[in-house]
């Protein structure tokens, strides 16, 4: 026989005085009264506590030992109770790794979506990254305009310095006739002299196929050997029939048999959901361990007077130039010269120019360093020696001094110039460059009609949209037929959860909002939204002022949502 009522007899928890009530089951019930009248004592400390206690008692002895003893509330009888879940205004915690996206699990489904159907881009040069089967590559080449001559080429030098005489000789001995060097097609028997100080691009021509001799067998063979020579990348260039020059590099069609960039040859791990997690070593930005923010030295504090030059002491904590040791002076001078050269500044600009006049990129390198190695000369007596190495940057240098000092005075001195700021590597996006460069395309007209129309969004960019905008982003997603099938399940979950958040009036939040910045009311409504999708039925939900902090116009929507609790 189904029970239709919850009966409470003799409730005496806190200030309750032998309260007897009978409540209908499966209904939305509201307790109201002045503060201190015992609403919470009845709802949370009696009904919820007893429901929870009985549930725990029903578990095995083994499970119970992990859950602790639940005290029995001071009440004579409670009947008709279901397992209970409380959704209080308790904050969602202080962990900045927990966000609206992770609490609602929308972020988890987005990770799956991006891993399965996102379009990867090379973070270095922006080229679309994809991996194709050899067969598919050959088919696409076979289908290129029938009246064109095809040049199948393998990139062998990608922007490296050198003369490459041995390479040309070696290729010739392997039986290749031509190569394209810096965009010009040349015969390998007569290669051009190259300036070894400059960066060059060399593609060896693996096969040149005229319209008459185009057939699958020949293309298969050429694809095979081009992919081997080009380390999984091959280029196809089209020219007029009988032309002895291949087309220009800009018009090349790139193919890759691995998840590699056809543009600069960098290869990447194929994307997985972990790649998109800022809590996983595979996905997190290395600069901030996936937090997006850092406690570090702040450029504005380090350089209070931008009219000074570095030599004149623009950078606090670097101190007076004359007081630096010989070795450090030498390193900084070498780096400054290298920056002058790399950025084509007048010699001496970096050290003598006013800080405010230096190009942003130059300041960036000075403060945060560079991955490229910097060459500097070191004069020891008569001899001058060349050294090269990566320059870590002034701020990373300071950070390592900050971490290694025990001196309290010095720590306080450092902290005057420090604050929490957006991570300079990921700019608060929390993910590593590869993950941040994967995008998904919306087909929603609202996005395309806007002033600065933009259809492709990365995961961090989606997390910056309000739930309302996110909802319209996901109204229509541009996917191929196969991708649409692959993405269907994740998309359904995402759309549903976005709908729940809209239902509880949280349309203004972003997925990137961290738990510590949410108000009690917001946390409660997020958990409420989570419950609607939980799939549990017949549960007694106990909420504490769910409308707190909610705009009055959203009250109706909230009540509708409450009525939908199963
Ligand atoms: Zn690239
Ligand atoms: Zn970062």
């Amino acid at each position: 026989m189904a029970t239709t009522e919850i009966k409470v007899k003799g409730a005496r928890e806190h200030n309750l005085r032998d309260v007897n009530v009978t409540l209908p089951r499966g209904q939305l019930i509201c307790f109201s009264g002045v503060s201190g009248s015992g609403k919470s004592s009845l709802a949370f400390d009696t009904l919820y506590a007893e429901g929870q206690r009985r549930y725990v008692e029903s578990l095995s002895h083994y499970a119970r030992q992990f859950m602790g003893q639940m005290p029995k509330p001071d009440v004579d009888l409670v009947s008709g109770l279901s397992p209970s879940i409380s959704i209080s205004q308790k904050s969602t915690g202080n962990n900045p790794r927990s966000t609206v996206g992770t609490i609602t699990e929308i972020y988890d489904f987005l990770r799956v979506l991006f891993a399965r159907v996102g379009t990867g881009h090379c973070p270095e040069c922006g080229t679309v990254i994809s991996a194709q089967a050899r067969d598919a590559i050959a088919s696409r080449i076979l289908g290129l305009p029938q009246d064109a001559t095809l040049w199948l080429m393998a990139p062998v030098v990608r922007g490296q310095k050198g003369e490459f005489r041995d390479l040309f000789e070696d290729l010739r001995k392997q039986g290749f006739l031509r190569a394209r060097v810096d965009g010009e097609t040349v015969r390998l028997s007569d290669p051009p002299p190259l300036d070894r100080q400059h960066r060059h691009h060399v593609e060896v021509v693996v096969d040149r196929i005229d319209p008459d001799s185009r057939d699958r067998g020949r293309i298969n063979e050429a694809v095979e050997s081009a992919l081997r020579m080009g380390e999984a990348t091959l280029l196809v260039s089209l020219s007029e029939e009988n032309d002895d020059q291949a087309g220009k590099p800009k018009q090349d069609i790139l193919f890759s048999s691995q998840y590699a960039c056809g543009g600069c040859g960098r290869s990447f791990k194929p994307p997985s959901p972990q790649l998109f997690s800022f809590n996983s070593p595979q996905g997190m930005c290395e600069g901030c361990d996936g937090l997006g923010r850092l406690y570090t030295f702040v450029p504005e504090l380090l350089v209070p007077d931008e009219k000074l030059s570095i030599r004149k002491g623009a950078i606090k904590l670097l101190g007076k130039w004359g007081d630096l040791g010989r070795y450090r002076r030498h390193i900084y001078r070498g780096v400054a010269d290298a920056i002058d050269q790399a950025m084509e500044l007048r010699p001496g600009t970096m050290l003598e120019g006013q800080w405010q006049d230096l190009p942003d990129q130059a300041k960036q390198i000075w403060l945060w360093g560079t991955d490229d190695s910097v060459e500097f000369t070191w004069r020891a007596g008569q001899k001058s020696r060349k050294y090269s190495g990566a320059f870590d940057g002034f701020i990373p240098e300071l950070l390592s001094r900050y971490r290694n000092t025990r001196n309290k005075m010095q720590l306080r001195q450092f902290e005057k110039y420090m604050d929490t700021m957006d991570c300079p590597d990921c700019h608060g996006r929390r993910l590593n460059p590869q993950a941040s460069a994967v995008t998904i395309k919306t087909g929603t007209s609202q996005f395309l009609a806007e002033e600065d129309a933009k259809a492709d969004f990365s995961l961090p960019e989606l997390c910056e949209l309000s739930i309302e905008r996110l909802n319209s982003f996901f109204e229509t997603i541009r996917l191929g037929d196969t991708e649409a099938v692959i993405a269907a399940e994740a998309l359904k979950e995402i759309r549903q959860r976005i709908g729940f958040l809209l239902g509880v009036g949280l349309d203004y939040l972003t997925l990137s909002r961290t738990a510590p910045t949410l108000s009690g009311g917001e946390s409660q409504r997020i958990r409420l939204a989570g419950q609607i999708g939980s799939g549990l039925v017949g549960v007694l939900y106990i909420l504490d002022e769910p409308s707190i902090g909610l705009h009055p116009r959203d009250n109706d929507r909230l009540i509708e949502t409450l009525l939908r609790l199963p």
Side-chain angles (χ1 to χ4, degrees):
M1 191 186 73
T3 328
T4 55
E5 294 173 333
I6 301 171
K7 283 200 176 111
V8 180
K9 280 195 180 149
R12 285 178 301 274
E13 204 48 48
H14 300 312
N15 49 352
L16 297 178
R17 291 189 199 151
D18 266 324
V19 174
N20 301 324
V21 279
T22 302
L23 305 164
R25 281 171 56 92
Q27 300 290 320
L28 180 61
I29 300 167
C30 170
F31 291 171
S32 67
V34 294
S35 154
S37 59
K39 306 182 293 290
S40 297
S41 300
L42 186 58
F44 284 97
D45 303 326
T46 308
L47 285 170
Y48 168 67
E50 182 63 6
Q52 186 77 352
R53 192 184 68 86
R54 287 195 199 165
Y55 170 66
V56 171
E57 297 244 302
S58 72
L59 298 175
S60 69
H61 174 72
Y62 177 77
R64 259 181 293 159
Q65 66 183 339
F66 298 108
M67 307 188 65
Q69 279 288 326
M70 308 283 282
K72 186 171 163 26
D74 191 357
V75 59
D76 293 338
L77 170 90
V78 182
S79 68
L81 209 52
S82 307
S84 54
I85 290 177
S86 97
I87 307 177
S88 64
Q89 285 174 38
K90 217 169 47 207
S91 80
T92 25
N94 282 317
N95 187 353
R97 292 196 178 275
S98 149
T99 64
V100 172
T102 61
I103 301 167
T104 57
E105 293 175 359
I106 293 176
Y107 194 83
D108 301 304
F109 289 105
L110 284 174
R111 291 198 288 126
V112 173
L113 190 70
F114 271 80
R116 300 224 174 119
V117 301
T119 306
H121 300 264
C122 172
E124 292 292 319
C125 67
T127 309
V128 171
I129 310 171
S130 63
Q132 289 169 291
R134 273 144 213 254
D135 251 15
I137 296 177
S139 301
R140 274 201 49 202
I141 295 175
L142 199 61
L144 290 170
Q146 296 301 323
D147 55 348
T149 290
L150 304 175
W151 299 67
L152 273 71
M153 298 185 282
V156 285
V157 174
R158 298 171 161 110
Q160 286 133 299
K161 290 181 186 173
E163 294 176 286
F164 304 109
R165 277 188 293 205
D166 293 350
L167 174 76
F168 292 137
E169 183 56 21
D170 197 38
L171 290 171
R172 197 183 60 80
K173 280 188 186 149
Q174 288 182 52
F176 295 106
L177 297 175
R178 300 183 188 82
R180 192 175 63 183
V181 180
D182 298 331
E184 294 296 317
T185 310
V186 301
R187 295 202 149 260
L188 283 164
S189 52
D190 182 24
L194 295 181
D195 181 345
R196 69 184 170 86
Q197 293 298 337
H198 278 90
R199 297 179 187 279
H200 301 286
H201 292 268
V202 179
E203 297 91 31
V204 60
V205 178
V206 174
D207 201 358
R208 172 174 175 273
I209 308 175
D210 284 324
D212 302 342
S213 35
R214 188 187 294 188
D215 70 61
R216 181 140 205 142
R218 185 158 167 188
I219 289 178
N220 274 340
E221 212 171 295
V223 165
E224 193 66 34
S225 79
L227 287 175
R228 199 172 49 242
M229 304 272 309
E231 290 169 345
T233 301
L234 92 93
L235 314 169
V236 178
S237 178
L238 305 182
S239 75
E240 304 272 309
E241 193 175 349
N242 296 327
D243 205 337
D244 65 352
Q245 282 280 322
K248 290 296 162 200
K250 264 195 221 153
Q251 280 127 28
D252 286 346
I253 306 161
L254 303 170
F255 296 95
S256 173
S257 64
Q258 282 172 13
Y259 202 72
C261 172
C264 64
R266 271 189 60 180
S267 59
F268 302 91
K269 290 204 199 89
S272 65
Q274 285 75 36
L275 174 68
F276 298 97
S277 167
F278 47 78
N279 293 328
S280 146
Q282 284 183 51
M284 61 174 61
C285 162
E286 287 180 9
C288 58
D289 288 340
L291 283 170
R293 293 177 70 73
L294 278 179
Y295 183 63
T296 187
F297 291 89
V298 180
E300 288 74 28
L301 298 175
L302 275 179
V303 188
D305 183 359
E306 299 206 19
K307 288 202 182 62
L308 295 177
S309 66
I310 294 177
R311 276 286 299 256
K312 291 268 163 62
I315 302 180
K316 295 276 176 183
L317 295 179
L318 180 65
K320 286 214 182 85
W321 188 257
D323 296 346
L324 290 173
R326 209 155 92 92
Y327 179 70
R328 288 183 69 204
R329 230 171 25 224
H330 149 71
I331 298 274
Y332 290 138
R333 180 183 296 285
V335 171
D337 288 348
I339 297 176
D340 282 345
Q341 243 182 34
M343 307 218 39
E344 297 175 353
L345 301 171
R346 202 166 37 77
T349 306
M350 202 56 211
L351 285 184
E352 311 287 351
Q354 292 188 3
W355 182 259
Q356 61 187 6
D357 296 336
L358 300 177
D360 284 343
Q361 204 192 338
K363 295 180 192 167
Q364 179 84 11
I365 296 175
W366 185 268
L367 293 176
W368 298 103
T370 161
D371 296 336
D372 291 342
S373 73
V374 180
E375 227 169 57
F376 35 88
T377 47
W378 169 238
R379 265 179 291 280
Q382 298 291 314
K383 282 187 226 146
S384 112
R385 288 196 198 150
K386 259 190 189 165
Y387 285 90
S388 67
F391 175 57
D392 287 341
F394 185 62
I395 289 181
E397 263 180 39
L398 284 176
L399 277 173
S400 98
R401 277 163 64 197
Y402 172 74
R403 289 195 195 104
N404 292 319
T405 185
R406 293 268 164 83
N407 180 333
K408 283 210 173 111
M409 284 277 287
Q410 175 134 53
L411 281 177
R412 267 207 297 280
Q413 180 66 12
F414 279 144
E415 281 166 1
K416 276 195 223 159
Y417 302 98
M418 298 176 79
D419 202 349
T420 307
M421 58 180 273
D422 273 357
C423 165
D425 288 352
C426 65
H427 306 283
R429 289 194 286 257
R430 310 181 80 157
L431 292 175
N432 68 31
Q434 187 196 345
S436 302
V438 179
T439 59
I440 282 183
K441 200 189 233 4
T442 183
T444 308
S445 52
Q446 185 196 329
F447 273 78
L448 307 175
E450 279 165 9
E451 186 93 359
D452 43 354
K454 176 174 156 75
D456 302 272
F457 281 70
S458 67
L459 182 50
E461 284 170 333
L462 286 185
C463 290
E464 288 302 318
L465 296 181
S466 68
I467 298 296
E468 194 178 13
R469 295 257 301 154
L470 198 63
N471 186 44
S472 43
F473 181 93
F474 278 108
E475 264 165 29
T476 330
I477 292 293
R478 285 271 165 80
L479 293 172
D481 293 344
T482 329
E483 279 99 31
V485 175
I486 298 173
E489 190 66 22
L491 273 176
K492 190 183 126 214
E493 296 286 346
I494 291 166
R495 289 185 177 129
Q496 201 173 45
R497 278 154 215 260
I498 291 174
F500 297 151
L501 286 175
L502 291 176
V504 293
L506 294 175
D507 47 4
Y508 60 93
L509 284 184
T510 62
L511 293 183
S512 63
R513 272 284 291 277
T514 56
T517 67
L518 295 168
S519 75
E522 285 167 343
S523 305
Q524 189 186 23
R525 288 195 286 279
I526 289 173
R527 277 201 300 264
L528 175 61
Q531 281 305 321
I532 305 170
S534 71
L536 284 175
V537 292
V539 174
L540 170 65
Y541 288 102
I542 300 187
L543 294 95
D544 181 12
E545 279 191 85
S547 64
I548 194 161
L550 187 69
H551 195 286
R553 64 152 191 254
D554 291 327
N555 275 339
D556 288 347
R557 268 205 290 179
L558 177 66
I559 291 171
E560 248 171 65
T561 305
L562 289 176
L563 289 171
R564 278 171 61 194
L565 281 171

